[in-house]
């Protein structure tokens, strides 16, 4: 069986370091690993509209930001099909059929949907489209016969629901769809990178993000104001590593090579952590290292972004071509789905012949 990836993001904002360590960096690795036959990355504008119906302009503006972020981190349109969800209407048709295979109470139990309903104060007035987005997500995945969905843990309930829909469909209509598996980030730091305030996950509404498109000056400023250890008052006082932002970010971004280059007094992060814990390392030293480490990662991303920004029509062309290719793939699956469900009336000459025989006098 072919190995196929599908994953995506809602275009509700620019992508930040949390997205980068949680999924983007991994996608590029998977793309370049040669282990997959096809890779689809989707900008989920239709899903974003399920709770932004009154603000389509926000989605329209952020769509290009997300596309630029994808291209600048190294998602390569020659290897990965980048497409826009709304430009593949076949996905809606699939969702319409899948809705019959899922109960309302099943969706109500979805913990991610529950949290989102609370966050958006939707308790009294959930848009039907929003409520159904997990079902539509099953369409996104199965339309491409995806075997692998790289995503964060919050997406696990969606993949689980997708597997249930696939099983139900295949049981009723015969083997047609492929059961996907989730591919989670490989370590805890990457799973949940805290914001620069050290509190919650990075999120635009909390204003605690470092964006992939931030300038070196912005990155420096944000790192320098990061939350560290409030009890670490002087360089010599013992410090705590846990919950200390610059150290958490170093966990996610640094390697031994960085130490040789930027802080050769230490062989690796553990040595620096040990010294900090004992006392004798200032926060400034740690932050300066982090700024260097982040710059090394972000500079090429920024440079690639700048190049694409100079040619925005070409970026839309990439999205158009990707959407056309995605549409062809989804249409092929939809043909199989319609045939399995026996609603392919006009393509079924036996049906027409047998009905004709039944009525012939
Ligand atoms: N729900 C995902 C998010 O909030 C976006 C998404 C839509 C997605 N369809 C998908 C992710 C299919 C993986 C697979 O970011």
């Amino acid at each position: 069986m072919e190995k196929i990836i599908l994953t995506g993001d809602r275009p509700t904002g620019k992508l930040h370091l949390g997205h980068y360590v949680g999924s983007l960096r991994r996608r590029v690795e998977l793309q370049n690993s040669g282990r997959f036959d096809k890779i689809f990355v989707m900008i989920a504008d239709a899903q974003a509209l399920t709770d932004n119906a009154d603000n389509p302009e926000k989605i329209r503006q952020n769509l290009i930001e997300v596309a630029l972020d994808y291209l600048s981190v190294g998602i390569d349109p020659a290897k990965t099909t980048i497409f826009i969800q709304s430009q593949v209407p076949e996905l809606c048709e699939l969702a319409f059929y899948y809705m019959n295979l899922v109960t309302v109470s099943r969706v109500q139990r979805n913990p991610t949907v529950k949290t989102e309903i609370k966050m958006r104060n939707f308790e009294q007035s959930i848009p039907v489209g929003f409520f159904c987005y997990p079902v539509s997500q099953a369409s996104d995945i199965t339309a491409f016969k995806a075997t692998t969905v790289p995503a964060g843990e919050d997406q696990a309930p969606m993949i689980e629901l997708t597997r249930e829909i696939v099983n139900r469909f295949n049981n009723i209509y015969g083997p047609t769809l492929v059961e996907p598996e989730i591919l989670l980030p490989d370590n805890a730091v990457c799973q949940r990178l805290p914001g620069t305030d050290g509190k919650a996950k990075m999120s635009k509404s909390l204003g605690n993000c470092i964006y992939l498109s931030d300038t070196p000056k912005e990155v420096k400023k944000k790192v320098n104001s990061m939350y560290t250890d409030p009890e670490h008052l002087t360089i010599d006082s013992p410090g705590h590593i846990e919950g200390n932002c610059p150290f958490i970010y170093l966990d996610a971004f640094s390697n031994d090579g960085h130490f040789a280059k930027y802080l050769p007094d230490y062989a690796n992060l553990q040595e620096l952590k040990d010294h900090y814990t004992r006392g004798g390392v200032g926060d400034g030293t740690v932050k300066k290292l982090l700024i260097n480490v982040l710059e090394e990662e972000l500079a090429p991303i920024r440079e690639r972004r700048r190049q694409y920004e100079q040619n925005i029509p070409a970026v839309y062309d990439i999205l158009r071509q990707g959407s056309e290719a995605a549409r062809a793939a989804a249409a092929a699956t939809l043909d199989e789905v319609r045939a399995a469900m026996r609603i392919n009336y006009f393509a079924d000459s036996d049906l027409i012949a047998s009905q004709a025989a039944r009525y012939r006098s």
Side-chain angles (χ1 to χ4, degrees):
M1 193 172 62
E2 282 190 302
K3 294 187 72 182
I4 300 175
I5 286 181
L6 177 118
T7 188
D9 302 275
R10 297 180 197 177
T12 52
K14 294 184 286 188
L15 301 180
H16 51 59
L17 290 186
H19 295 115
Y20 186 66
V21 296
S23 67
L24 297 173
R25 188 166 65 179
R26 184 77 170 289
R27 285 182 204 171
V28 175
E29 275 165 27
L30 293 170
Q31 167 194 275
N32 296 335
S33 72
R35 286 195 289 121
F36 291 87
D37 299 292
K38 289 181 202 148
I39 305 179
F40 296 91
V41 174
M42 176 180 79
I43 306 183
D45 63 333
Q47 188 176 108
L49 284 166
T50 66
D51 63 335
N52 286 286
D54 55 352
N55 196 1
E57 196 53 31
K58 169 174 153 193
I59 308 307
R60 191 179 155 92
Q61 294 303 330
N62 282 306
L63 190 137
I64 189 74
E65 293 283 356
V66 170
L68 286 166
D69 286 331
Y70 283 170
L71 294 166
S72 61
V73 297
I75 294 180
D76 174 359
K79 297 178 184 157
T80 294
T81 304
I82 307 175
F83 72 98
I84 304 175
Q85 186 181 28
S86 65
Q87 303 309 298
V88 184
E90 284 75 7
L91 299 174
C92 301
E93 187 174 336
L94 275 181
F96 198 61
Y97 302 137
Y98 293 171
M99 282 181 201
N100 304 327
L101 307 178
V102 182
T103 62
V104 169
S105 64
R106 182 68 189 85
V107 178
Q108 269 165 345
R109 270 186 278 128
N110 183 311
T112 302
V113 173
K114 272 192 188 164
T115 319
E116 288 176 325
I117 287 173
K118 276 214 193 85
M119 264 167 42
R120 290 166 178 69
N121 291 320
F122 271 166
E123 275 99 339
Q124 295 309 317
S125 56
I126 308 169
V128 174
F130 179 82
F131 185 76
C132 296
Y133 94 72
V135 181
S136 124
Q137 197 157 330
S139 313
D140 304 336
I141 296 168
T142 55
F144 302 97
K145 304 213 159 154
T147 50
T148 312
V149 181
E153 206 164 28
D154 60 329
Q155 299 300 306
M158 313 303 164
I159 317 304
E160 196 45 49
L161 184 71
T162 303
R163 295 165 62 91
E164 284 173 32
I165 291 173
V166 167
N167 281 314
R168 237 146 157 243
F169 188 101
N170 289 347
N171 276 330
I172 300 173
Y173 305 115
T176 313
L177 303 173
V178 176
E179 249 186 89
E181 270 174 24
I182 191 166
L183 185 64
L184 293 166
D186 37 17
N187 67 52
V189 197
C190 297
Q191 189 70 256
R192 208 165 246 280
L193 192 74
T196 50
D197 56 1
K199 287 196 194 101
K201 223 162 98 162
M202 254 186 204
S203 114
K204 192 174 54 168
S205 50
L206 297 173
N208 61 2
C209 302
I210 297 178
Y211 293 101
L212 290 170
S213 48
D214 278 350
T215 62
K217 229 171 124 186
E218 285 167 320
V219 172
K220 193 170 171 193
K221 196 165 154 232
K222 289 178 182 182
V223 171
N224 280 328
S225 63
M226 264 184 183
Y227 178 85
T228 59
D229 172 9
E231 289 166 33
H232 184 243
L233 295 174
T234 67
I235 290 180
D236 291 327
S237 54
H240 296 93
I241 302 297
E242 207 174 309
N244 191 320
C245 262
F247 279 107
I248 299 175
Y249 282 54
L250 285 170
D251 274 328
F253 286 97
S254 74
N255 56 47
D256 295 355
H258 291 133
F259 282 85
K261 204 157 153 195
Y262 302 116
L263 203 58
D265 289 351
Y266 305 90
N268 54 43
L269 184 55
Q270 194 54 50
E271 282 189 12
L272 179 66
K273 284 181 178 176
D274 290 344
H275 194 185
Y276 187 90
T277 311
R278 286 198 306 275
V281 180
D283 286 328
T285 305
V286 185
K287 287 177 170 173
K288 195 165 161 215
L289 170 67
L290 177 60
I291 291 166
N292 282 320
V293 168
L294 288 181
E295 272 314 306
E296 196 170 312
E297 191 96 15
L298 291 176
I301 294 177
R302 225 179 264 129
E303 174 53 25
R304 223 168 321 171
R305 190 182 230 273
R306 211 188 50 78
Q307 285 171 13
Y308 281 110
E309 281 173 351
Q310 299 318 303
N311 200 352
I312 292 294
V315 176
Y316 280 103
D317 255 348
I318 290 169
L319 296 176
R320 186 175 47 75
Q321 285 171 23
S323 299
E324 281 166 10
R327 193 166 182 193
T333 304
L334 189 58
D335 276 346
E336 291 176 46
V337 161
R338 287 156 155 258
M341 292 177 70
R342 307 188 56 73
I343 55 173
N344 59 339
Y345 314 110
F346 307 135
D348 188 347
S349 50
D350 285 352
L351 167 75
I352 298 170
S354 67
Q355 295 294 14
R358 196 154 75 90
Y359 289 101
R360 198 159 20 224
S361 52

